[in-house]
């Protein structure tokens, strides 16, 4: 599917955002917005957004954040601050939805950094529901070790070439993400105290073999957002939608149908 582009105003400049709409023929169906991982993009989701939207009977919106995919790259001298995910949640995503004339409270499905951004968005904006895959709410040693290993792989293996297929400026995508996650000042980053204002339904999913985070991430979400449902997946690492797509889709469908039924009764 061919991407479209829309401009938003962000941090005093025009930023081009790559995006794709899914199932546009389902005019009155709910909308699911997909938020990619720290090195993701529209293309790196592959076919999972379409498969999930078909299973749930919803419309979909997939987009690449600034610095990723075919969206406006990060400037060479631009260094992300520890609150970069807050900026994405409270500035970029609202601006994108406004530019695309999305007025309804959307469903959000976020992976990794995208899951964190989805949670942050829901702390101050109306959402129909959240599905977060391997989200980060704090920095763990395992995360730092794996991201440091990614830096070594980017510099010494074919990882840069493989990622370049998905990003118009692969160095923009990689170094923006990698440098802030490995920065000393990021070690104390946490969004745990932000979560208590989330009122929409939440499904938090994590692979038991996740190389970027422990199960404490989603269990602590439930500690702060009591109505959170958890799914801990055997045989899955950091990307449940790639490692266990059928199991994940079945769980998402059950969660979505349950929440839709409960909403209809209110």
């Amino acid at each position: 599917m061919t991407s479209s582009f829309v401009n938003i105003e962000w941090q005093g400049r025009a930023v081009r955002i790559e995006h794709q709409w899914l199932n546009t023929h389902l005019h009155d169906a709910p909308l699911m917005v997909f938020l990619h991982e720290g090195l993701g993009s529209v293309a790196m989701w592959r076919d999972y957004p379409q498969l999930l939207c078909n299973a749930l009977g919803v419309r979909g919106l997939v987009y690449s954040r600034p610095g990723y995919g075919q969206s406006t790259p990060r400037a060479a001298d631009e260094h992300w601050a520890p609150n970069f995910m807050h900026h994405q949640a409270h500035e970029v995503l609202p601006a994108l939805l406004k530019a695309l004339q999305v007025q309804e409270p959307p469903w959000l499905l976020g992976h990794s950094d995208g899951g964190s951004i989805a949670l942050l968005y829901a702390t101050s904006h109306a959402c129909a529901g959240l599905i977060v895959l391997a989200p980060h709410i704090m920095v763990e040693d395992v995360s730092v070790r794996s991201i440091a290993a990614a830096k070594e792989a980017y510099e010494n293996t074919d990882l840069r070439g493989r990622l370049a297929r998905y990003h118009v400026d692969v160095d923009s995508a990689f170094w923006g993400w990698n440098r802030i996650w490995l920065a000393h000042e990021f070690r104390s980053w946490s969004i745990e105290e932000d979560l208590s204002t989330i009122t929409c339904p939440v499904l938090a999913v994590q692979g038991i073999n996740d190389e970027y985070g422990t199960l404490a991430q989603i269990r602590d979400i439930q500690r702060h957002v009591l109505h959170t449902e958890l799914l801990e997946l055997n045989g899955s690492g950091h990307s449940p939608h790639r490692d266990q797509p059928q199991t994940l889709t079945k769980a998402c469908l059950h969660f979505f149908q349950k929440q839709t039924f409960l909403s209809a009764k209110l």
Side-chain angles (χ1 to χ4, degrees):
M1 183 180 294
T2 303
S3 291
S4 300
F5 298 89
V6 66
N7 284 338
I8 65 170
E9 289 292 326
W10 184 49
Q11 296 186 338
R13 61 177 177 142
V15 176
R16 187 177 84 150
I17 302 293
E18 174 194 21
H19 62 282
Q20 291 181 1
W21 290 101
L22 307 175
N23 290 353
T24 55
H25 62 287
L26 301 176
H27 305 290
D28 298 324
L31 175 66
M32 180 78 71
V33 180
F34 292 81
L35 291 80
H36 62 73
E37 63 188 300
L39 289 177
S41 66
V42 167
M44 283 192 70
W45 279 110
R46 300 178 185 172
D47 61 350
Y48 190 74
Q50 185 68 69
L51 291 173
L52 184 65
C53 287
N54 289 348
L56 271 57
V58 300
R59 295 174 295 133
L61 173 62
V62 190
Y63 76 101
S64 297
R65 296 193 294 275
Y68 296 99
Q70 305 301 309
S71 293
T72 298
R74 176 183 57 87
D77 60 349
E78 178 185 344
H79 298 282
W80 292 350
N83 62 349
F84 76 97
M85 286 190 252
H86 289 76
H87 289 303
Q88 294 295 325
H90 300 314
E91 299 170 12
V92 174
L93 181 53
L96 173 64
L97 295 178
K98 181 178 180 180
L100 295 176
Q101 299 181 344
V102 174
Q103 298 179 343
E104 71 207 77
W107 283 82
L108 300 182
L109 185 147
H111 175 218
S112 191
D113 285 12
S116 308
I117 293 165
L119 289 165
L120 285 168
Y121 180 89
T123 64
S124 58
H125 296 83
C127 290
L130 300 180
I131 300 172
V132 291
L133 315 179
H136 304 286
I137 66 168
M138 57 190 168
V139 179
E140 296 181 287
D141 290 343
V142 64
S143 309
V144 175
R145 287 196 299 269
S146 292
I147 292 169
K151 177 179 182 291
E152 292 296 319
Y154 191 78
E155 294 175 326
N156 299 304
T157 73
D158 66 344
L159 177 59
R160 184 179 186 277
R162 288 187 284 119
L163 287 173
R165 299 196 297 266
Y166 301 102
H167 304 284
V168 68
D169 186 335
V170 67
D171 289 334
S172 164
F174 185 85
W175 293 118
W177 165 79
N178 191 262
R179 284 174 177 152
I180 185 56
W181 267 96
L182 295 182
H184 175 73
E185 62 267 27
F186 196 64
R187 291 305 301 265
S188 61
W189 175 87
S190 170
I191 63 170
E192 291 185 79
E193 297 306 316
D194 298 80
L195 302 180
S196 61
T197 59
I198 295 176
T199 59
C200 68
V202 180
L203 173 63
V205 182
Q206 189 146 357
I208 290 177
N209 301 318
D210 191 337
E211 62 274 30
Y212 284 91
T214 71
L215 293 171
Q217 299 282 351
I218 62 170
R219 292 174 180 177
D220 279 2
I221 292 174
Q222 190 180 56
R223 187 164 60 86
H224 291 281
V225 186
L226 298 181
H227 54 275
T228 299
E229 297 185 23
L230 301 185
L231 175 62
E232 299 173 1
L233 285 174
N234 285 306
S236 178
H238 190 57
S239 301
H241 57 295
R242 299 186 190 115
D243 298 337
Q244 296 283 340
Q246 293 181 334
T247 302
L248 176 62
T249 299
K250 183 178 179 180
C252 290
L253 178 60
H254 176 76
F255 176 72
F256 178 79
Q257 290 179 333
K258 175 183 174 181
Q259 302 307 325
T260 302
F261 173 77
L262 291 174
S263 296
K265 292 184 67 176
L266 295 177

